[in-house]
Amino acid sequence: MGIIMKVRIPTCHDKPGTTHIVQFTHEVGIRYCYIFFHIQMLWELVLLGEPVVVMAPSPSESSDTVLALVSCISPLKYCSDFRPYFTIHDSEFKEYTTRTQAPPSVILGVTNPFFAKTLQHWPHIVRIGEIKLPGEVPKQVKVKKLKNLKTLDSKPGVYTSYKPYLNRDEEIIKQLQKGVQQKRPAEAQSVILRRYFLELTQSFIIPLERYVASLMPLQKSISPWKSPPQLRQFSQEDFMKTLEKAGPQLTSGLKGDWIGLYRHFLKSPNFNGWFRTRRKEMTQKLEALHLEALCNEDLLFWSQKHTEVETVDLVLKLKNKLFQADREHLPMKPDTMEKLQMHIDTIILALPDDLQDILLKTGTT
């Protein structure tokens, strides 16, 4: 299909959880000079999971633009649906074209002129097509009102009534304009834009990462004889209070309503997906620390002070934890699994023969 993808297939010698998975990111196509006047606004729309329609003259341009939009918030994962090439034959056609309910959180790429009429009610529309510009690159291209998208031959541009939270960064626009004037290669323009989006996304996500890390219980609160402690609840108001001293202003010079952007983002599918992943990672870290705490205990000595029933219960619990750690690739020190297995074997060997036979045959659930 004209696209080269580099992949690395893990081998049997790779340790689980140590292979770095490189997420495939699409080149940010900016050959349409009228779009880069609105790159920050488009970044916000994607970040917030807003419904966006890309109307393009061909399937390749439709797909390229949708994939570029989805990847512009990298390394943050886009967690809503996206269709690089959507047609009237898709099963969701009726759902997406109905006016009886608000459009879902999805980015659609379409080519059929019929959609210019049936998707007029969508709040954000990007119309792709070459603009014949006399002489130099224009100094300004305004966002068009949605009511102007009435005819099938509407001009290319961005149609929306959305007001961005952040002030526009004139420097990146000047840089891209200069690139067009000097006929800078598209690949070089793409590298500039990708670096800009990466820095912008990182400035936005770092305060969230910092706050979520503070929800982790202290390591000293982890006891081998109690269940691992729970993560503290995410509090929107507590997070907002951290932004005054440790907000995006530490890494970004952009002004604007960052607080409003965060409040909107916290209601979006992208936040839900990101937080669910982070919570799972932190919960697994707590499980791993709990197992390491268990490994540092004299479990044989403990078993000698307790009844056989309690000892058998401990062995079964340890077996299950070992199975879970292996299945979920918990982030543990390399020797923890071996030490835990040695503890299990030592305790079993200290039990009567009949119990040994049963426990050695008992699997895990």
Side-chain angles (χ1 to χ4, degrees), residues 42-271:
L42 292 172
W43 175 83
E44 285 189 22
L45 293 177
V46 177
L47 180 77
L48 300 174
E50 287 285 309
V52 178
V53 173
V54 174
M55 297 184 177
S58 72
S60 61
E61 287 170 299
S62 161
S63 300
D64 283 349
T65 307
V66 170
L67 293 172
L69 285 173
V70 167
S71 69
C72 79
I73 61 170
S74 180
L76 195 63
K77 184 182 177 183
Y78 182 74
C79 295
S80 293
D81 194 10
F82 62 96
R83 307 296 181 85
Y85 181 46
F86 185 78
T87 74
I88 60 173
H89 304 293
D90 280 272
S91 57
E92 288 86 359
F93 173 75
K94 284 186 179 180
E95 178 191 345
Y96 292 168
T97 54
T98 182
R99 292 171 184 262
T100 58
Q101 60 188 37
S105 175
V106 61
I107 300 178
L108 295 183
V110 302
T111 60
N112 194 326
F114 179 67
F115 283 113
K117 183 178 180 181
T118 56
L119 295 178
Q120 273 185 43
H121 63 293
W122 276 54
H124 319 292
I125 298 172
V126 180
R127 184 94 193 203
I128 297 296
E130 297 295 349
I131 294 182
K132 305 297 181 185
L133 296 169
E136 294 188 351
V137 179
K139 293 181 180 176
Q140 184 67 277
V141 176
K142 290 185 178 178
V143 173
K144 298 173 175 60
K145 300 293 183 186
L146 283 166
K147 63 181 180 182
N148 295 336
L149 192 73
K150 293 261 173 105
T151 59
L152 296 180
D153 58 348
S154 294
K155 292 180 180 178
V158 180
Y159 296 78
T160 181
S161 56
Y162 176 82
K163 289 183 172 53
Y165 287 96
L166 304 181
N167 300 341
R168 192 158 67 181
D169 189 336
E170 299 295 342
E171 285 303 310
I172 185 66
I173 294 173
K174 287 177 185 175
Q175 201 175 353
L176 295 171
Q177 279 180 302
K178 188 177 179 182
V180 173
Q181 290 165 350
Q182 296 177 347
K183 294 182 170 54
R184 185 186 291 149
E187 292 79 8
Q189 290 277 78
S190 186
V191 167
I192 291 170
L193 195 50
R194 183 159 297 288
R195 186 186 305 123
Y196 176 76
F197 280 140
L198 177 64
E199 291 174 356
L200 183 57
T201 303
Q202 285 179 329
S203 291
F204 180 80
I205 209 71
I206 285 171
L208 275 163
E209 291 278 6
R210 188 182 293 116
Y211 171 73
V212 168
S214 74
L215 304 179
M216 188 84 163
L218 296 175
Q219 190 164 347
K220 64 183 181 182
S221 68
I222 298 173
S223 165
W225 306 113
K226 294 179 183 176
S227 296
Q230 299 291 307
L231 296 173
R232 288 194 292 279
Q233 290 293 314
F234 185 103
S235 165
Q236 179 172 313
E237 292 313 310
D238 286 350
F239 166 65
M240 292 300 171
K241 288 173 187 173
T242 67
L243 296 176
E244 186 178 348
K245 292 183 179 178
Q249 71 274 10
L250 296 180
T251 51
S252 174
L254 275 181
K255 305 295 183 184
D257 183 11
W258 284 98
I259 299 292
L261 183 62
Y262 278 112
R263 286 194 187 279
H264 195 155
F265 176 72
L266 293 179
K267 299 174 185 174
S268 74
N270 287 332
F271 169 72

Side-chain angles (χ1 to χ4, degrees), residues 291 294-295 297-300 303 311-323 336-351 355-356 359-364:
L291 280 179
L294 269 171
C295 283
E297 291 291 313
D298 189 341
L299 299 182
L300 179 61
S303 68
T311 302
V312 168
D313 186 53
L314 174 67
V315 169
L316 293 176
K317 282 181 179 177
L318 290 176
K319 277 193 165 193
N320 269 327
K321 284 185 173 294
L322 200 62
F323 177 72
T336 301
M337 299 276 277
E338 290 84 350
K339 284 170 71 176
L340 194 60
Q341 186 62 58
M342 284 174 62
H343 276 309
I344 293 171
D345 295 341
T346 304
I347 295 171
I348 290 176
L349 289 173
L351 290 168
L355 281 177
Q356 285 187 37
L359 290 174
L360 288 171
K361 292 175 183 175
T362 303
T364 52

